[in-house]
Amino acid sequence: MFDSRHIRTFHEVVRAGSYSAAARELGYTQPAITQQMKALERTVGSPLFIRVGRGMRLTEAGETLARHADTILSSISAAQAQMNAITRLRAGRVRVCAFPSANATLIPEAMARLAATHPGVRVDLLEGEPPDSLDRVVRGECDITLAFTYPGLREETPPELVEIPLMEDQLTVLLPSGHPLARRRAVKLAELSGERWIAGCLRCRANFLHECAEQGFAPDIAFTTDDNLVVQSMVAAGLGVAMMPGLVLSFLCHHKVTGRALEPASRRHVSAYVLREHLEIPATARVLEELKTVAGNRVGC
């Protein structure tokens, strides 16, 4: 492996024409130049210069290295410039995977803040539900994943991941606007035991069944979909009611749908997950800070 310092010195010796001239240009002593060139020749395994009278000329190995020296030094300079840009947050790319309601709420706000302060940092957005979204971080398919857990369920997190708590998201019930209970500020889950239900993703559905069991009934699940907009459309059409996270109320699209808090109050925990070593990457750390700020404004949502 070449030492970049030796390549720079070699390049200056070739340009200046002698060790002494290179020493003056670089601010070294001539013996220091000689030592570096000897070390480079040991690395190459061949002499680079031969004496010709009072001067010197390049050997075949020296000529070959001289042809590549400019490219080597330019590549090193370019790499240094790019690394400086990344560490100083003028550049960088972060892959973020989040569940749909976070992608529709937390992510746009956090990315807007990031773009205002560090426009050179790019974010690739992916969508996924836990537990698969957690495995994607472990597999190296993303750098940060946003996922949720429910207090009443036992859910395992891969041991390689670090959890950064973001917020608690209060669960709500979506009702058709004409529903008799839509006039209330809060609705008891047990009062909806006779309704037809629209259920969501596997983890949300498991919690929904758990919550209903706690209230002493088994729900009639008529439809199942992971798409929040489809759930809203079905509720608006009178096909059922749905237990949904509070984040969904931020993009409630149908005027025929009403969201109401549930009693007893139930929440899910929303966190970001990363590999520990990614916490040291400036762009990743900055994205996490923006997510914490945005989520902090929604605590108790």
Side-chain angles (χ1 to χ4, degrees):
M1 296 292 291
F2 292 132
D3 186 318
S4 62
R5 295 171 300 170
H6 296 166
I7 296 295
R8 285 195 177 91
T9 301
F10 170 77
H11 183 263
E12 187 58 34
V13 170
V14 173
R15 191 194 68 79
S18 68
Y19 286 4
S20 58
R24 287 193 298 273
E25 289 293 328
L26 295 173
Y28 295 161
T29 63
Q30 185 168 329
I33 298 292
T34 302
Q35 289 292 334
Q36 288 195 43
M37 291 304 92
K38 286 182 178 178
L40 183 57
E41 287 177 336
R42 285 195 296 272
T43 301
V44 172
S46 173
L48 297 172
F49 303 96
I50 56 173
R51 292 285 178 183
V52 179
R54 292 187 176 181
M56 62 184 191
R57 68 177 177 81
L58 290 168
T59 64
E60 182 179 0
E63 289 177 350
T64 300
L65 184 57
R67 287 196 298 270
H68 291 284
D70 275 334
T71 301
I72 293 170
L73 294 174
S74 294
S75 295
I76 291 172
S77 295
Q80 288 175 332
Q82 290 176 20
M83 293 303 294
N84 285 337
I86 289 171
T87 56
R88 294 175 185 175
L89 291 175
R90 293 197 302 269
R93 186 173 294 274
V94 182
R95 299 165 299 166
V96 179
C97 180
F99 51 94
S101 56
N103 263 339
T105 53
L106 302 180
I107 295 297
E109 291 181 40
M111 295 310 96
R113 291 174 55 89
L114 181 71
T117 56
H118 299 94
V121 177
R122 302 294 179 180
V123 177
D124 293 336
L125 296 181
L126 307 169
E127 188 168 292
E129 302 272 6
D132 180 62
S133 58
L134 296 169
D135 293 333
R136 295 182 78 170
V137 184
V138 177
R139 294 195 300 263
E141 296 174 9
C142 61
D143 306 305
I144 301 171
T145 197
L146 268 61
F148 53 84
T149 56
Y150 289 101
L153 300 181
R154 184 178 177 182
E155 296 158 330
E156 305 236 347
T157 299
E160 304 95 321
L161 299 183
V162 176
E163 179 183 2
I164 297 98
L166 296 179
M167 63 174 290
E168 289 191 344
D169 188 13
Q170 183 170 321
L171 298 182
T172 64
V173 61
L174 298 189
L175 305 165
S177 294
H179 195 285
L181 297 179
R183 295 189 294 271
R184 302 244 200 106
R185 294 185 63 183
V187 178
K188 292 186 169 141
L189 184 59
E191 293 178 296
L192 300 167
S193 59
E195 299 284 344
R196 284 159 47 101
W197 289 86
I198 302 155
C201 72
L202 287 174
R203 184 168 285 194
C204 293
R205 196 179 320 149
N207 176 71
F208 170 56
L209 292 172
H210 170 77
E211 299 256 3
C212 291
E214 289 284 301
Q215 296 301 311
F217 73 95
D220 175 14
I221 299 177
F223 301 97
T224 300
T225 175
D226 293 345
D227 192 318
N228 291 316
L229 294 179
V230 172
V231 172
Q232 293 180 42
S233 296
M234 286 186 165
V235 173
L239 296 175
V241 299
M243 178 187 284
M244 298 292 282
L247 284 174
V248 172
L249 300 183
S250 299
F251 54 94
L252 197 58
C253 299
H254 287 279
H255 66 278
K256 294 182 179 180
V257 176
T258 300
R260 290 291 179 258
L262 278 169
E263 291 182 345
S266 181
R267 292 178 173 84
R268 64 178 182 175
H269 303 307
V270 177
S271 298
Y273 297 85
V274 295
L275 294 170
R276 186 171 301 278
E277 53 268 31
H278 284 190
L279 292 171
E280 304 300 322
I281 299 174
T284 301
R286 183 73 261 164
V287 170
L288 286 171
E289 285 301 317
E290 299 297 359
L291 286 168
K292 285 193 285 187
T293 298
V294 167
N297 295 331
R298 290 175 173 267
V299 171
C301 177

